Amino acid sequence: MAESLTHPLEEPQPRLPLAQPPDASHEAAHSQEGAPARVSLPHVLPDEDVFAYMRRVHGAFEHRLYQRLVGAANELKEGDASIGVAAVDEASRHNARALLARTRLGDLDAYPLIDERLYSYMQGAVDPEAQARTASWTLEELKAFLLSASEEDIHALKDGWSSDAIGCVVKLMSNAELASVGRKVFNPLPGSKVGARGYLGARIQPNSPTDHPDDIRWQVFNGWAFAVGDVVLGTNPVSSAPESVAAVESALHEILVTFGLQDTLPHCVLAHVDVQAVVEAMQPGTTGIWFQSLGSTEAANRTFDVTLEKMEAHAATRTGRWGMYFETGQGADATNGHAAGVDMVVHESRKYGFSRALTQRIAAAQERAGREPAPHVIVNDVAGFIGPEVFRTREQLVRCCLEDIVMGKLHGLTIGLDVCSTLHMDVSLDDLGWCLEQLMPANPGYLMALPTRNDPMLSYLTTAFQDHVRLREKFGYKVDDRMWAFFQRLGVIDAQGRPTEHFGDPAWVYLQYRRHQGDARPDADVLAEAARQLAEVRARSVPLAVGHGEHPWDLAPSLDREMRQLYEDAKVGLWSDLSPDFLATIPDAVRLRTRASTRRDYILHPPSGEQLEPASERVLESLRARHAGRYSVQLVISDGLDARSLMDEGHLGPFLATLRARLEAAGHRVAPEHLVLSLGRVRSGYRVGGLLFGDAAMEGPRALIHIIGERPGSGHHSFSAYVTAPPARVWAKPVDHDITRVVAGISDTSLRPESAAVEVARLLGELTSAS
């Protein structure tokens, strides 16, 4: 496992006794200091199921105990421990699984782990006849069926299994058993081999730190040069402004139209679904498959500014060739404060249940529109993006991905993986390759694909183009037949599927692109133009994989060295602090601190960086009294995950100067103080805003602009600005991400600080005019 430069992330943590839960006095509760108690089950009776156990030890059904017993059956993960549902030891985990194995599917469905409107909606997508056929089965019997039955027999029954049942049965399986089920069940997309047995697809993720169309185009050409990219061209936008999203949509759409692939391969800009709908209205026909992140409960979905009604309405419009693209991931609910006492596996399974129900909605809409009901819906499980508070090790990451592959397939979905890690996890560049090889026997539908394992915009590690080449060679997986034929026509592989002399050469793909556009210039002129554009893309710190090493699946040595240097640089950034000399340059600085005791505590336990220490709360209460409502905007500065992003020359200073000038010119009353918050997370800013502005007597919107260091890893040393501007009466309540706008990727090598300040001022104008 990788270690940080001076602070290993995996050193043992002390376990201290906490008070026993009132519903389980027989339990010996243990946890890390400040964390909820873990579940101890030292003894269960033979033939006892979950419900019989509760009756014996508690006298009746008890909901919180029920949730903890189900959660304790999971393999250990940090996210479950953080909410108090992880088993305290292997013996307790074994006993929890024994109880769960003897529990009947019908009883699980009769006692939902979380009972709310969205759960009822998911249950409405379950086939009642198929459900009745297995209601008397125990989870152990369901597991045995999945391991022994044919794919045909599994497909005949899978629509009758609830998300809770699917989420519970995977807890009983070993990694090898999960892989066995994964390579047995497949749900290919209509008219496609994506998601079929023996196929491994790729979503090209051509992210740009500045949403530059050339960065995006060249990464597509780069992927195709390696015969990679047959599922979707999907870009994460920096800006969610409709005009910016429209420009990226158009760039992707134009590539597909140029090559005649618009009916073969969808594209997607992963902006909020509402924004995508606006762009489609602005530029009809230019959007492809529509994206949205999903939560497992109504509260979790509100974090994404999503409701059941909104998603149903959007799904009902998807009557054309492309449907929807959903992203999920274990741990998002817990880190956003919406775990509701339920473990990460069950939450993730319910997201697939929501996806299943929306897929049925799309099919019904197609049928009403006179089309064959064949919804093109893909699900991307983003496993590892959150950080060590969810998964800390490569083994936990592999376990999560195997569970999710099986749960997605048993929901009838075409599911792929973003097998990823953040730079503050204990998963290195080489560990990520190991994880991929552990997962391939389960045959996921697809993986992400970037020029290297390092995303230049999101600053996290994921799958490179060369990983696809290596995995195809080692495991014999194929690319969707239609795109494989395209790659042969493109000339990067030959008729036998072997690399040609043009393999790994994006300039060659650019030449074919220009020829398809009717460009008749000599090859040398077009290739010279390609070389100039390649240099410009690289100058914006977007890596491109040109050529390869000793094998076609090896990065070119110089690029490999560059990526490893970025990785080491990120580790330095994680442990950096704002220096005294830098702090002295911030005018009118007021120092604040969160409850994180150390930087290690801050990195491993994010909630510690979301709350303010009492002394800082008193400082803010005093400042609020002194301001007496005179100011409508407050600037807050936090170190975040890379303090260097603020300290680098030409970063914070020009940003603050331009921002203040723009805000004051627009008539905003900006407080003179800069609140400087050490060990601060984004949510700590909401706490600051609540203490300063949470007074219903204040009139008009009150804005907080939180300037914070981003995750390191891209080499840009970027920071972000989170803009929140509701009326004071809203600040008096808990505020969260759903009402916040963000400008990200701010640095002297990506979105320049002066330009970012202009965008922040514009966003604030939009928010305050709408209040």
Side-chain angles (χ1 to χ4, degrees), residues 58-71:
H58 191 72
F61 174 82
E62 207 290 320
H63 193 256
R64 178 57 183 147
L65 177 55
Y66 177 43
Q67 293 175 324
R68 299 187 82 215
L69 293 173
V70 171

Side-chain angles (χ1 to χ4, degrees), residues 234-245:
T235 300
N236 298 87
V238 175
S239 171
S240 290
E243 296 77 11
S244 180
V245 172

Side-chain angles (χ1 to χ4, degrees), residues 571-610:
K571 292 297 186 183
V572 174
L574 277 173
W575 301 104
S576 62
D577 293 304
L578 297 174
S579 70
D581 289 345
F582 175 75
L583 289 169
T585 67
I586 300 176
D588 297 304
V590 176
R591 298 290 304 278
L592 304 171
R593 189 179 176 91
T594 65
R595 298 189 182 189
S597 58
T598 63
R599 191 153 191 86
R600 174 186 171 78
D601 181 34
Y602 167 77
I603 289 173
L604 295 184
H605 308 115
S608 69
E610 296 178 349

Side-chain angles (χ1 to χ4, degrees), residues 69-119:
L69 293 173
V70 171
N74 279 355
E75 287 288 324
L76 176 62
K77 296 172 190 160
E78 308 303 319
D80 288 339
S82 71
I83 64 167
V85 299
V88 73
D89 52 31
E90 284 300 323
S92 297
R93 184 171 297 109
H94 173 81
N95 286 335
R97 285 176 176 167
L99 294 174
L100 199 56
R102 294 190 284 264
T103 300
R104 299 190 183 279
L105 304 189
D107 291 337
L108 273 177
D109 291 342
Y111 291 90
L113 287 153
I114 303 173
D115 193 4
E116 53 144 35
R117 198 169 60 113
L118 183 55
Y119 172 77

